[in-house]
Amino acid sequence: MKNDENFETGASHGLPHKTRAEMHESLPVAVKNWLQTTGALDHEPIRSVRLKQTGTIKLKPEQRDWTASESEQISYTNPPAFRWDVKMKLGPGIYVTGKDSFEGGKGSMRIKLGGIMPISKTMENEKTDQSSLQRYLMELAWYPTAALGPYISWEEEDAHTAMATLKYAGLKGTATFYFDEQYELVKVEAWRYKESDEDSRLVLCTGTIKDQQRVGGLKVPVEIEISWLLESGTFTWYRFRASDIRFNDR
């Protein structure tokens, strides 16, 4: 992974420019109202967002106990990219580290025991790239001004639901955003590859927002649950709370 200075290019790749007002006018009503509610319309464009996460993880559905975790993430909007570093404590003096990233249209994930010995590496292929793109899109609420950017288009589903489509680096992903009566975002769903092997199939991934707070002039999610809808039922694998959220802080 490149360092932060190189990680964000800031290039527009020659995409046609529209003013924020023009972009906002073309959005579904629910998305318009959501951006108004979050404060995104009056906020400077978000180029990057840094945050920390404290939570619990289950690596497998059959796992009975939750594993404590701490992580840090940085995401960029132009072009779309993110890096997520997690540390999970398995027992006294035993921990596992993981790195999940999306850069230049390529996704990657690695897990190491003690931060040294590799115990898992996701195959870096089109399925990994696609799943990483979908993750980025699902996390749009941390950088809502990107909803007005050149990479994302919107389609209205109903008065409180809209589908976002993200196109970047030859990839295309979609996610459905659900809003409540006050037009606050309550849930995001996307079909993603949970695994990257040849036999893996798309699985519905859901991010449920449990709490939101106003940070730096924006109302953003701070408590979230991430689940997969497996054939055996819903598997909630990650529950966390976000803190130390900083915008445009390189």
Side-chain angles (χ1 to χ4, degrees), residues 26-192:
S26 65
L27 295 175
V29 172
V31 181
K32 287 183 183 180
N33 290 332
W34 169 59
L35 292 176
Q36 184 70 50
T37 299
T38 62
L41 297 181
D42 299 319
H43 197 279
E44 65 174 321
I46 298 171
R47 302 181 302 277
S48 66
V49 56
R50 292 179 181 268
L51 54 88
K52 296 180 180 179
Q53 300 171 7
T54 302
T56 54
I57 290 176
K58 283 186 178 180
L59 298 178
K60 298 179 180 179
E62 60 270 22
Q63 182 178 332
R64 296 185 60 181
D65 298 326
W66 291 86
T67 300
S69 68
E70 294 183 354
S71 57
E72 295 186 5
Q73 177 166 326
I74 182 166
S75 300
Y76 297 99
T77 61
N78 191 11
F82 71 81
R83 183 177 62 234
W84 181 69
D85 298 293
V86 62
K87 184 175 182 178
M88 297 168 279
K89 187 174 182 179
L90 302 183
I94 303 174
Y95 64 92
V96 168
T97 62
K99 293 180 180 294
D100 192 4
S101 66
F102 180 68
E103 179 186 13
K106 300 296 182 182
S108 176
M109 185 168 188
R110 293 175 173 82
I111 298 177
K112 295 181 179 181
L113 179 63
I116 300 174
M117 182 183 298
I119 59 175
S120 176
K121 176 182 176 182
T122 301
M123 295 175 61
E124 297 179 359
N125 55 26
E126 293 180 359
K127 292 183 178 181
T128 304
D129 300 341
Q130 182 72 17
S131 186
S132 296
L133 178 86
Q134 294 286 67
R135 170 178 172 166
Y136 175 88
L137 182 56
M138 290 183 71
E139 296 177 344
L140 179 65
W142 282 330
Y143 29 90
T145 62
L148 297 166
Y151 299 100
I152 298 175
S153 60
W154 293 89
E155 181 178 345
E156 184 174 291
E157 297 284 307
D158 59 39
H160 293 276
T161 312
M163 183 176 71
T165 298
L166 171 61
K167 296 181 180 179
Y168 170 63
L171 300 172
K172 178 181 177 181
T174 61
T176 304
F177 289 69
Y178 297 86
F179 307 91
D180 63 14
E181 295 297 323
Q182 288 72 45
Y183 295 103
E184 292 190 350
L185 184 64
V186 294
K187 183 174 68 174
V188 184
E189 291 183 341
W191 290 89
R192 302 176 59 203

